[in-house]
Amino acid sequence: MRSATDTRALSLPASGDWTLRILSPTLLELTLIFAKAMDLAPARTLSALDITFAGRGVKMASSGWKRRPIYAPLATPRDTRIATQLYLRLAAPIDLEASAGMVEVRDPQGVLGKPGASWSANADPRRYSPAIHVNQEGYVPALPKKAMIGYYLGDMGEMPISADAGFTLVNTRTGAAAYQGKLTARPDIGYKTSPIPYQAVLVADFTEFAEPGEYQLQVPGLGASLPFLINPGIAMGFLRTYALGLYHQRCGADEKLPFTRYGHEACHLALAQIPAATPDDKFAFTWDKIAAYAELPSPDNPAQTAPKFTRESAQLFPFVKLGTVDVSGGHHDAGDYSKYTINSTALIHYLMFTVDSVAGVAQLDNLGIPESGDGIPDLLQEAKWEADFLAKMQDSDGGFYFLVYPKMREYESGVLPEHGDTQVVWPKNTAVTAAAVAALAQCASSPLFKKHYPEVAAKYLQQAELGWQFLMRAIAKHGKEGAYQKITFYGDHYTHNDELVWAACELLLATGEQQYQEKLFAWLPNPAHPSTFRWGWWRMSEAWGNAIRSYAFAARSGRVPLEKLDARYLKICEGQVLSAADDVLDWSKKNAYATPFPLPTKVVRGGGWYFSLDQASDMAVAYQIDPRPEYLDALVGAMNFEGGSNPVNVTFLTGLGTKRQREIVSQYAQNDRRVLPPTGIPIGNIQTTFSRADLQELTYPKDSAVTDSYAFYDRWSDAFNVSTEYITVNQARGFLASAVIAAQSRAEARPWRAAQAKIEMPSAAVQLNQPTTFTLQIEGEPLADARVVWEAGDQEPAFGATYTITPKRNGTQWVEAEIAWPDGRRAFAARAFVANGSLVNWVDDDLPVGANPGSSGGDGWNWVSENPAPKMGKTSHQSNLVAGLHEHWFTGATATLTV
């Protein structure tokens, strides 16, 4: 087995890797990585292990363990990797401060596997400690700066840590102590389990220290944290990362260098089909799927009085347009490539709210997307990209289609977006129509939108009014309750009641007409009524929150003069904004790691689809009304949690930090050539358990145990888990929260569009199985403060100013680099290169008879035999178009190619 002690590596621990850590003077942690689970029943003794420090024997007093899969990708064959962590408590402390030395654990009898195995660790006072949790990007000098200390030891409970010793900030470049502070207790509140988790967590507050630089936080006896920066650009770094993530979700756009290395061609440009009745029933899959959703219960809603959508003839609002419809553009809703109208409207709402109502966002034309630098706020253009798609979703009668979906399956799996399926639109209903009316009216009433896109704003308003007419006709004919037909759970909470209120509110703000105010006040007479609370406790949920938020900020955003608003109603709306923020603030204060995880969720031991900055965004909204320092402190705490200041030391926003997840719920990430997923994708921060039952069985202690269960915030794995999947609304809310933090960071928002970066190769030819080093050039931008991530085919990703790889196959290959500065400015580079070796390599300049041209210009060949199987694909070998020539090569080929 080999040591896996590199704490700043992007590579994945392999089966057989191990790590021995000195957690404290009396506690060791031995981590063993295997493809199969080790059996360490609680009754099994580890007393046969020999422990020495500086060559002298050390007695063990007790032991414990935990086990969890740490890597479980979706792809087959399964490549599951399981970490078994042993905790060895020493009978007496070893003197880590006064004497340097090596701790060694030996297994003479082979109780852990091979007899005679041994593992060692150096007793360096600044050794990495997994018990010290920091924001791995860093901290803003002018804002709160806190790190958390705590650790979970499996069936031994929490690691006891004394606050008496305090902590020290150490400058990583000089090694000098820069600041000393005290540790204070921060126990978690709200869980009812036994034992109550996270009661021994401590906080290190170094807010008063503001000197820029790179530091580690050191605790005597424990070791030191991962390195981090104190830099004014850190919050802008999160903001730009979220912006890049939204750009990566665009549909209908070709994404390419220099704006991203995660490129693809423009996708889903073909017309979508309208699934009206046909003689050959070619839309049977669509209608069967709609019928299946209609039969699912909606326990939170009153009984539906309209006919269930179990067949095409049951629809209240048949299609008017027939044939096909252009619904290109917008953003892919989530990890798949579908586009849901209800989420589209929420995305527009949050983007428009942020650019209209958060100080400084309207001045940001430097986020690094293709539109940066054109004089129009970047976020406004991202909102318009979505709104232009939404406008295409309207039928001739004013109603809006429910979603855009694949025609013959539920999700477009196994393909990149440009190779996606034929798509269909689903039927109309009143919920998504009302939401679309609201979102388009919100754009149309925005002074900023009207300034830059006056004609588009007028068109949006016309469409919103046409949609309103559709709704009024539907209600007049079927009644308010009878006009609603459930299609799926999207937009089904509160039936269509919340969307109708939001539509009335936005049209009122766009037109000032009395008819809309009458409907608003009639349908939502009291914005603070508990009937608008999700599950009875979550304020400002769904479209209720959109309406309340928009009314509360109608004057602040310049839509309506203050005197035109109803003062009583405005006060109630503002009160709800503040009350929602106070709820979130309370959750943050009662969380040991400062993430605003809801107390009602703790009580039921729930988790999933939770994103810290998303949840914190209600405080970001309230901060625009009442800039309380407590709100800002909690917002920073949520950012820190996503940035790595959490029990598992993993960053939950892709493209950031030292410890990064590679397996996420994203069809693009599953099907592109890279190991690391696209930058800017939020990953669910807290999960109840694995999606797969077989992985649940591998954990110890059990996630499902009534007592002594696996500690909740530690239930992380680099695994495909649908409960961690994001939607673009999560990204937009995370952007909103980041924007408020960035506005307080006093960072210089320097102009930025994209920089041209270039990967340099050595002058000598690249040889198979020989190391080759690549370097990076970028004009006008220093790399000294940048974090550079490299990737190449068949290689593990790595950090560094240079990248050394050993090609494992010959032929044309690729290498990429992503450069990120502390303020989130990024540059990207990619290069193709050819590795020459002893394998078969044949080049021709004509397409042979019988060969099929591939999308890259290569040929579609087949093996006569597979010995071995080709590197990529099942029966096709690899071919590329290189300098106008067709190149064909075969990895490890021993068979004869017959053409």
Side-chain angles (χ1 to χ4, degrees):
M1 294 188 291
R2 64 187 178 93
S3 173
T5 57
D6 188 350
T7 60
R8 305 183 74 171
L10 286 169
S11 58
L12 188 69
S15 180
D17 285 357
W18 59 268
T19 303
L20 179 66
R21 297 200 191 282
I22 306 169
L23 296 180
S24 77
T26 59
L27 191 64
L28 307 180
E29 177 189 68
L30 175 60
T31 301
L32 303 174
I33 309 295
F34 291 105
K36 296 183 179 180
M38 294 184 65
D39 181 18
L40 289 175
R44 185 171 183 174
T45 177
L46 297 176
S47 59
L49 297 177
D50 291 337
I51 305 173
T52 60
F53 173 61
R56 299 179 182 178
V58 178
K59 291 184 178 181
M60 180 170 55
S62 60
S63 63
W65 68 292
K66 68 176 188 265
R67 182 180 64 209
R68 199 166 195 88
I70 60 165
Y71 182 62
L74 177 66
T76 54
R78 301 293 192 193
D79 184 18
T80 304
R81 306 182 192 189
I82 304 163
T84 300
Q85 293 176 296
L86 314 178
Y87 297 99
L88 312 177
R89 194 178 301 282
L90 308 182
I94 55 179
D95 191 348
L96 300 174
E97 304 299 324
S99 58
M102 190 75 69
V103 170
E104 187 172 12
V105 176
R106 298 187 184 91
D107 184 11
Q109 299 179 22
V111 296
L112 298 179
K114 182 179 179 181
S118 65
W119 309 272
S120 60
N122 188 23
D124 182 349
R126 285 179 57 187
R127 69 195 180 278
Y128 168 65
S129 171
I132 305 175
H133 317 288
V134 298
N135 185 327
Q136 293 165 23
E137 286 296 299
Y139 299 83
V140 175
L143 297 182
K145 293 178 284 294
K146 298 176 183 178
M148 307 303 181
I149 294 90
Y151 205 54
Y152 172 60
L153 306 175
D155 59 11
M156 290 181 71
E158 285 189 80
M159 177 179 171
I161 303 172
S162 173
D164 296 342
F167 70 92
T168 301
L169 287 188
V170 177
N171 188 301
T172 60
R173 290 175 181 152
T174 67
Y179 178 83
Q180 292 184 327
K182 297 180 179 179
L183 297 173
T184 56
R186 189 182 172 108
D188 202 276
I189 298 172
Y191 280 105
K192 304 298 182 182
T193 55
S194 177
I196 300 174
Y198 307 110
Q199 299 301 291
V201 178
L202 306 174
V203 59
D205 189 341
F206 50 103
T207 298
E208 66 181 21
F209 182 78
E211 183 67 27
E214 185 183 78
Y215 301 92
Q216 288 177 284
L217 192 146
Q218 185 173 341
V219 177
L222 300 189
S225 71
L226 292 168
F228 60 87
L229 296 176
I230 295 180
N231 186 289
I234 296 300
M236 275 298 298
F238 277 78
L239 189 67
R240 283 192 168 109
T241 302
Y242 268 108
L244 183 58
L246 284 166
Y247 170 66
H248 283 145
Q249 289 298 109
R250 284 188 187 183
C251 183
D254 59 335
E255 299 179 7
K256 56 188 178 182
L257 294 170
F259 308 106
T260 180
R261 68 188 181 98
Y262 296 94
H264 64 78
E265 300 170 16
C267 60
H268 300 101
L269 298 179
L271 298 178
Q273 298 180 12
I274 297 173
T278 59
D280 58 358
D281 201 22
K282 64 180 181 180
F283 298 112
F285 176 85
T286 296
W287 289 107
D288 288 346
K289 182 59 64 175
I290 292 172
Y293 273 115
E295 293 291 358
L296 295 177
S298 301
D300 296 337
N301 289 347
Q304 179 176 312
T305 61
K308 282 188 177 181
F309 229 136
T310 55
R311 60 193 182 281
E312 183 180 0
S313 60
Q315 58 184 327
L316 295 181
F317 314 108
F319 293 106
V320 179
K321 296 177 184 176
L322 299 175
T324 57
V325 59
D326 175 14
V327 290
S328 59
H331 296 76
H332 299 138
D333 175 74
D336 56 84
Y337 305 138
S338 300
K339 295 182 286 191
Y340 299 80
T341 304
I342 200 73
N343 289 345
S344 171
T345 65
L347 173 62
I348 293 168
H349 169 75
Y350 281 107
L351 296 181
M352 288 303 303
F353 176 86
T354 304
V355 75
D356 281 334
S357 300
V358 174
V361 176
Q363 286 71 53
L364 294 177
D365 185 28
N366 60 351
L367 297 179
I369 63 176
E371 295 84 357
S372 293
D374 64 358
I376 303 175
D378 284 348
L379 198 64
L380 187 71
Q381 292 170 299
E382 204 68 65
K384 182 178 180 295
W385 188 273
E386 185 68 19
D388 285 345
F389 152 74
L390 180 63
K392 298 176 181 180
M393 291 285 283
Q394 189 171 37
D395 202 351
S396 300
D397 60 358
F400 283 78
Y401 307 122
F402 190 81
L403 55 75
V404 181
Y405 229 44
K407 180 180 177 180
M408 299 303 295
R409 55 179 175 168
E410 195 162 8
Y411 303 109
E412 295 171 82
S413 60
V415 294
L416 288 172
E418 62 264 44
H419 303 303
D421 297 14
T422 299
Q423 294 185 313
V424 298
V425 295
W426 278 23
K428 298 163 288 190
N429 81 349
T430 49
V432 300
T433 296
V437 166
L440 292 178
Q442 184 177 0
C443 293
S445 66
S446 163
L448 195 62
F449 199 100
K450 288 189 287 188
K451 173 186 174 182
H452 291 289
Y453 306 109
E455 294 180 359
V456 177
K459 174 179 174 291
Y460 284 174
L461 184 55
Q462 290 176 353
Q463 290 188 262
E465 291 174 325
L466 180 62
W468 180 264
Q469 293 167 18
F470 170 92
L471 295 168
M472 293 303 99
R473 289 194 304 270
I475 292 172
K477 182 176 180 179
H478 302 286
K480 187 165 179 278
E481 290 184 1
Y484 174 74
Q485 284 185 302
K486 172 189 173 182
I487 298 184
T488 75
F489 55 87
Y490 284 104
D492 186 50
H493 304 139
Y494 322 103
T495 67
H496 59 186
N497 291 336
D498 56 326
E499 288 88 4
L500 288 171
V501 164
W502 182 29
C505 176
E506 298 294 358
L507 280 170
L508 170 63
L509 302 182
T511 69
E513 293 182 15
Q514 185 68 20
Q515 61 166 322
Y516 303 121
Q517 180 167 292
E518 291 174 357
K519 290 297 186 185
L520 173 63
F521 290 176
W523 289 340
L524 184 62
N526 179 10
H529 195 275
S531 62
T532 66
F533 296 6
R534 183 90 168 99
W535 299 308
W537 55 266
W538 192 342
R539 303 174 196 263
M540 301 282 290
S541 72
E542 305 289 337
W544 299 120
N546 299 350
I548 294 168
R549 197 175 295 110
S550 288
Y551 200 91
F553 282 82
R556 289 180 173 85
S557 63
R559 283 171 165 78
V560 178
L562 182 60
E563 61 272 15
K564 295 290 186 180
L565 297 172
D566 183 285
R568 179 196 65 85
Y569 204 80
L570 175 62
K571 184 176 181 180
I572 297 173
C573 288
E574 290 179 338
Q576 276 299 97
V577 168
L578 295 172
S579 294
D582 289 342
D583 289 344
V584 177
L585 177 61
D586 183 59
W587 302 337
S588 175
K589 288 181 175 180
K590 291 177 179 176
N591 190 282
Y593 287 87
T595 185
F597 192 54
L599 267 67
T601 309
K602 291 182 181 180
V603 170
V604 298
R605 300 176 67 196
W609 299 281
Y610 171 80
F611 308 86
S612 291
L613 280 169
D614 171 330
Q615 189 76 73
S617 63
D618 282 336
M619 291 186 294
V621 174
Y623 193 82
Q624 308 309 298
I625 297 175
D626 182 7
R628 292 168 55 186
E630 284 182 301
Y631 289 153
L632 189 59
D633 181 56
L635 282 165
V636 172
M639 182 177 75
N640 291 344
F641 193 91
E642 282 198 357
S645 185
N646 54 61
V648 292
N649 302 309
V650 172
T651 51
F652 292 117
L653 184 61
T654 61
L656 293 182
T658 303
K659 294 297 185 182
R660 303 185 179 187
Q661 181 135 342
R662 61 173 69 193
E663 184 72 11
I664 71 169
V665 183
S666 163
Q667 282 302 320
Y668 181 93
Q670 292 294 330
N671 292 287
D672 76 335
R673 66 189 186 182
R674 302 163 190 87
V675 166
L676 297 177
T679 296
I681 306 300
I683 304 165
N685 298 182
I686 296 172
Q687 54 197 275
T688 304
T689 190
F690 293 96
S691 300
R692 288 167 41 192
D694 61 320
L695 298 179
Q696 296 176 28
E697 291 301 313
L698 293 173
T699 64
Y700 176 81
K702 292 295 185 183
D703 295 341
S704 58
V706 176
T707 60
D708 298 306
S709 62
Y710 208 105
F712 223 90
Y713 310 149
D714 283 76
R715 297 180 185 185
W716 170 84
S717 175
D718 197 342
F720 187 91
N721 190 333
V722 293
S723 73
T724 65
E725 184 182 13
Y726 66 102
I727 59 175
T728 51
V729 180
N730 304 131
Q731 290 177 296
R733 285 168 58 93
F735 185 98
L736 165 58
S738 300
V740 173
I741 303 170
Q744 313 305 313
S745 66
R746 304 173 194 171
E748 179 186 358
R750 56 176 292 186
W752 183 257
R753 185 170 183 266
Q756 299 290 335
K758 184 179 179 182
I759 295 173
E760 299 285 355
M761 288 179 54
S763 57
V766 178
Q767 297 294 322
L768 191 70
N769 297 321
Q770 297 296 318
T772 298
T773 299
F774 296 90
T775 58
L776 199 58
Q777 296 292 331
I778 182 168
E779 293 185 6
E781 294 293 335
L783 290 173
D785 294 328
R787 179 182 274 151
V788 182
V789 171
W790 296 84
E791 283 198 73
D794 303 317
Q795 309 290 324
E796 282 291 299
F799 292 118
T802 63
Y803 188 40
T804 300
I805 68 170
T806 301
K808 299 177 181 179
R809 58 180 176 82
N810 67 346
T812 303
Q813 298 171 58
W814 60 272
V815 60
E816 293 178 348
E818 179 170 335
I819 308 103
W821 287 270
D823 63 359
R825 290 174 297 116
R826 279 180 168 81
F828 306 92
R831 180 159 186 168
F833 66 95
V834 178
N836 297 316
S838 59
L839 303 186
V840 179
N841 186 41
W842 176 52
V843 175
D844 79 315
D845 55 7
D846 292 310
L847 203 65
V849 174
N852 302 312
S855 60
S856 65
D859 307 339
W861 290 80
N862 292 321
W863 286 84
V864 172
S865 62
E866 297 182 50
N867 183 22
K871 180 70 174 177
M872 295 191 301
K874 294 182 179 179
T875 57
S876 297
H877 78 280
Q878 296 169 82
S879 66
N880 291 284
L881 188 65
V882 182
L885 300 179
H886 292 287
E887 177 187 78
H888 313 278
W889 51 275
F890 312 89
T891 303
T894 58
T896 301
L897 173 67
T898 302
V899 180

